[in-house]
Amino acid sequence: MLPSENSSPRKTFKKLRNSFHLIKSQVGFHHCKWFFLIILIQVTFILFLAGTSPPAIPLRHQHHHFHTSKPQKQSIHQQKQSNDQVRISKSQKQSKDQLQILQDSKPKNKHQKQSNKDQQTVKLVQDECESGRVYVYDLPTKFNKDLLNNCHDLDPWSSRCNAVSNGGLGPKATGLDSIVPENLRSAWYWTDMYSAEVIYHERILNYKCRTLNPQNATAFYIPFYAGLAIGKILWFTTAKERDRPSELMLEWVKDQPYWNQNQGSDHFLMLGRLTWAFRRKTDDDSDWGTSFLRMPLMKNVLRLSVEKNPWDDLEVSVPYPTAFHPEFEAEIKQWQDLVRSRNRSSHFCFVGAVRKKIKNDFREVLMNYCKNETGSCKIVDCSVAHCYDGAPAILEAFLDSDFCLQPKGDGFTRRSMFDCMMAGSIPVYFWEGSFKTQYEWHLPSPSEDYSVYMDHTQVRNDTNIIRKVLDKFTKDDVRKMREILIDAMPNYLYARSNQGLGSSNDAFDIAMDEVLKRFKQQKL
């Protein structure tokens, strides 16, 4: 039984002491020792109980405590009805945003480690996610995952399973023994030029600024693999068939409550193919591509694309994936040092194949010119050599050359531009559309500091202009231009790490940060 509020341990001890003296006068010393020991144990126990008993609460504080407990119980009840309200007991007030930050900072998979210093986590994530957070829609699997599971059917001529493997990075690279140091070979993959849709989805799922609560989102990501979805139906199908996957996806998205808040103006997606494949102007079956980007529901949606339409403000170009995917910042620095110290035997090079079906093919002009400049130009003829993505012959040609000739690809740009820069070779463009308004988030400005432009019409009239222009650059000019490309290298590479690359942001990190900044700004 606990002592009452009016009982005093000191009074109790005094009574016990008097009792002890009375007993001592009547009982011998030998027996007294045992009585004393028993009483001492009892006193110790009483004092212990008195010290641990809860203090009495004054009446005025009892009323206050009862009053504040009601809202706490009410907020717990409200939390069961909505995930949007959270209150911590014991008067520790914390905002919903802070709670969401703590939730979002937890590891998304077993490979991620959570910091032991929870008190620093909120501040750290706030700093990293200053521009906001992104919410990922859980689309029906037919718009993404099922396409990967049926990768053999993504192309009418060959399987695309290698292209979409390893989260879009592709199979591990081989045959690089004489080019890439042994400890860097694990960072090289045969990455397909059109696999960015899979890479971005994989990275966003593990992104540091992803939120699971749509109410806390600044941006909404639609993980629709538009390029993969139309890959197998771009040929031998009707215009209506080509539009069907995009129409079905938009039918689903338009019913989402957060789409309707701003009519999709805070939504974005990633297009792995060139923008021109999604801009069919007519319903004629002979017209190329789909009309996805011309559909009314897409009029407000931001899209990332490996090549943008220069006249579309809602489109932003991001780098093509290359073969180099470092996991650590040290791997980038090692590759930068290798590129910087490489002895280059060729003045310039050309990598590509002649397109015989195209009248007056400009690639044929460059090929014929290089064949006459054997002392200065290194050629990789992709009609003869194996020019799969990131092939050793391509990498070696760029590493051995000061400049690389870059004609148009399927559009104004081509993946080879980034293979070239990643090897420290200076790109030479022949169309302004290949570099103007493209990759503004990722490449330095002005472009003249690290690239060369010659008008293709002038080159057609006199191919010797190529050598004349390039000869004007001194060794020191070339070194300075190359150094700009080397310093900017992390900006146009895609890491294979979900945690990023230390102090360096890769192409994905830069794209996501810019998307969030853009949406945050338009909400102000």
Side-chain angles (χ1 to χ4, degrees):
M1 178 177 178
L2 294 176
S4 65
E5 294 181 17
N6 296 325
S7 66
S8 170
R10 182 173 295 180
K11 291 181 179 179
T12 303
F13 181 80
K14 186 175 181 181
K15 290 179 181 179
L16 290 171
R17 185 182 62 182
N18 293 337
S19 300
F20 172 75
H21 286 297
L22 179 63
I23 293 170
K24 181 179 178 182
S25 64
Q26 303 294 327
V27 184
F29 179 76
H30 176 73
H31 294 89
C32 184
K33 286 191 301 182
W34 293 107
F35 277 109
F36 178 81
L37 182 61
I38 293 170
I39 292 171
L40 182 62
I41 293 172
Q42 291 176 340
V43 170
T44 303
F45 182 69
I46 291 171
L47 289 173
F48 172 77
L49 292 177
T52 57
S53 60
I57 302 175
L59 184 59
R60 66 179 182 272
H61 294 302
Q62 287 180 0
H63 176 73
H64 176 72
H65 180 74
F66 177 76
H67 177 74
T68 56
S69 65
K70 280 187 177 181
Q72 290 177 353
K73 292 181 180 179
Q74 183 181 6
S75 67
I76 293 172
H77 176 70
Q78 291 173 346
Q79 186 183 24
K80 294 179 181 178
Q81 297 177 344
S82 171
N83 291 328
D84 303 327
Q85 297 181 3
V86 180
R87 186 185 298 271
I88 297 180
S89 60
K90 298 180 182 180
S91 301
Q92 296 178 355
K93 295 182 180 180
Q94 194 171 21
S95 70
K96 290 185 290 183
D97 283 344
Q98 289 174 318
L99 290 173
Q100 185 63 42
I101 289 169
L102 286 171
Q103 178 185 359
D104 295 341
S105 65
K106 293 180 180 178
K108 302 294 187 300
N109 57 49
K110 64 181 180 180
H111 299 295
Q112 289 178 279
K113 296 181 180 179
Q114 186 178 11
S115 170
N116 293 327
K117 298 180 180 180
D118 290 340
Q119 68 272 19
Q120 297 179 1
T121 301
V122 173
K123 184 179 184 302
L124 177 63
V125 178
Q126 278 179 328
D127 292 342
E128 290 182 332
C129 304
E130 182 180 4
S131 298
R133 291 180 283 277
V134 59
Y135 178 79
V136 182
Y137 275 120
D138 187 16
L139 277 181
T141 57
K142 64 183 177 181
F143 298 119
N144 42 52
K145 185 178 179 181
D146 289 352
L147 295 170
L148 302 183
N149 292 337
N150 298 301
C151 54
H152 290 293
D153 299 328
L154 294 178
D155 188 283
W157 293 284
S158 61
S159 171
R160 297 279 289 162
C161 291
N162 276 343
V164 300
S165 63
N166 286 325
L169 301 185
K172 286 280 189 178
T174 57
L176 298 174
D177 297 7
S178 62
I179 309 172
V180 178
E182 183 177 359
N183 64 326
L184 277 184
R185 289 174 205 156
S186 62
W188 291 79
Y189 295 76
W190 297 145
T191 305
D192 188 83
M193 62 184 292
Y194 290 148
S195 65
E197 290 168 343
V198 184
I199 292 174
Y200 271 75
H201 189 196
E202 181 77 13
R203 290 286 299 275
I204 291 178
L205 289 177
N206 298 281
Y207 184 43
K208 63 188 177 184
C209 295
R210 179 190 176 190
T211 177
L212 302 179
N213 185 348
Q215 283 203 342
N216 289 339
T218 304
F220 294 82
Y221 168 60
I222 307 170
F224 173 44
Y225 299 165
L228 295 182
I230 67 168
K232 66 178 180 179
I233 54 175
L234 275 174
W235 298 270
F236 322 122
T237 55
T238 65
K240 187 175 182 180
E241 288 175 306
R242 279 173 259 150
D243 287 348
R244 189 60 179 156
S246 302
E247 290 173 341
L248 290 174
M249 184 279 294
L250 290 173
E251 284 294 316
W252 185 90
V253 170
K254 74 178 180 63
D255 291 332
Q256 307 308 306
Y258 297 97
W259 170 276
N260 293 317
Q261 280 185 355
N262 296 294
Q263 299 303 308
S265 63
D266 50 6
H267 287 55
F268 75 101
L269 46 73
M270 203 289 153
L271 303 176
R273 283 184 176 270
L274 306 181
T275 181
W276 316 109
F278 307 99
R279 294 181 174 276
R280 195 188 68 242
K281 295 181 179 180
T282 72
D283 290 332
D284 192 327
D285 292 344
S286 63
D287 202 355
W288 169 256
T290 79
S291 62
F292 179 39
L293 298 184
R294 297 184 182 276
M295 294 178 181
L297 288 172
M298 285 296 294
K299 66 180 180 179
N300 295 325
V301 178
L302 181 71
R303 45 264 187 185
L304 308 179
S305 175
V306 291
E307 178 178 321
K308 66 166 287 186
N309 178 349
W311 300 280
D312 189 341
D313 292 335
L314 281 175
E315 206 155 274
V316 179
S317 53
V318 297
Y320 288 86
T322 63
F324 184 41
H325 303 284
E327 184 175 9
F328 308 107
E329 192 171 18
E331 291 179 325
I332 290 183
K333 291 181 177 179
Q334 184 181 351
W335 180 252
Q336 287 172 317
D337 290 341
L338 184 150
V339 168
R340 186 178 288 114
S341 61
R342 179 84 175 191
N343 291 322
R344 299 172 188 264
S345 56
S346 298
H347 195 21
F348 53 97
C349 67
F350 173 67
V351 176
V354 173
R355 298 183 173 183
K356 296 181 179 179
K357 293 183 178 180
I358 299 178
K359 187 177 181 180
N360 296 322
D361 179 29
F362 188 73
R363 295 189 183 200
E364 186 174 6
V365 173
L366 296 179
M367 181 74 75
N368 292 335
Y369 171 71
C370 273
K371 287 179 179 179
N372 293 325
E373 290 282 349
T374 53
S376 300
C377 184
K378 186 169 186 175
I379 301 175
V380 178
D381 187 348
C382 291
S383 63
V384 179
H386 294 288
C387 287
Y388 50 88
D389 294 312
I394 297 176
L395 177 59
E396 194 165 28
F398 290 145
L399 284 170
D400 287 343
S401 305
D402 285 330
F403 297 92
C404 58
L405 308 182
Q406 293 295 333
K408 291 196 303 183
D410 292 333
F412 286 107
T413 65
R414 63 197 294 238
R415 161 18 196 298
S416 179
M417 296 162 44
F418 291 96
D419 291 332
C420 161
M421 292 187 292
M422 184 263 297
S425 190
I426 299 162
V428 179
Y429 302 121
F430 303 94
W431 277 265
E432 288 188 343
S434 297
F435 61 94
K436 279 194 173 180
T437 74
Q438 300 289 348
Y439 316 112
E440 293 176 321
W441 288 351
H442 295 83
L443 295 181
S445 181
S447 59
E448 292 82 4
D449 288 349
Y450 58 89
S451 66
V452 180
Y453 171 67
M454 306 178 198
D455 185 81
H456 62 282
T457 56
Q458 293 180 350
V459 174
R460 283 186 185 275
N461 294 331
D462 181 13
T463 54
N464 290 322
I465 194 175
I466 296 176
R467 177 72 179 269
K468 291 176 182 177
V469 170
L470 297 183
D471 281 348
K472 292 180 180 179
F473 291 94
T474 66
K475 288 185 178 181
D476 192 54
D477 292 333
V478 172
R479 182 189 59 79
K480 290 178 180 178
M481 297 171 80
R482 178 175 297 120
E483 198 60 37
I484 293 174
L485 288 174
I486 291 174
D487 288 343
M489 192 177 292
N491 298 359
Y492 53 86
L493 297 177
Y494 291 97
R496 71 183 188 276
S497 168
N498 288 321
Q499 285 81 27
L501 294 168
S503 62
S504 300
N505 286 330
D506 74 340
F508 168 82
D509 290 323
I510 292 171
M512 290 306 304
D513 190 46
E514 292 293 339
V515 167
L516 289 169
K517 283 180 181 177
R518 178 167 175 156
F519 285 158
K520 180 181 179 181
Q521 183 64 33
Q522 74 183 23
K523 289 182 178 180
L524 295 179

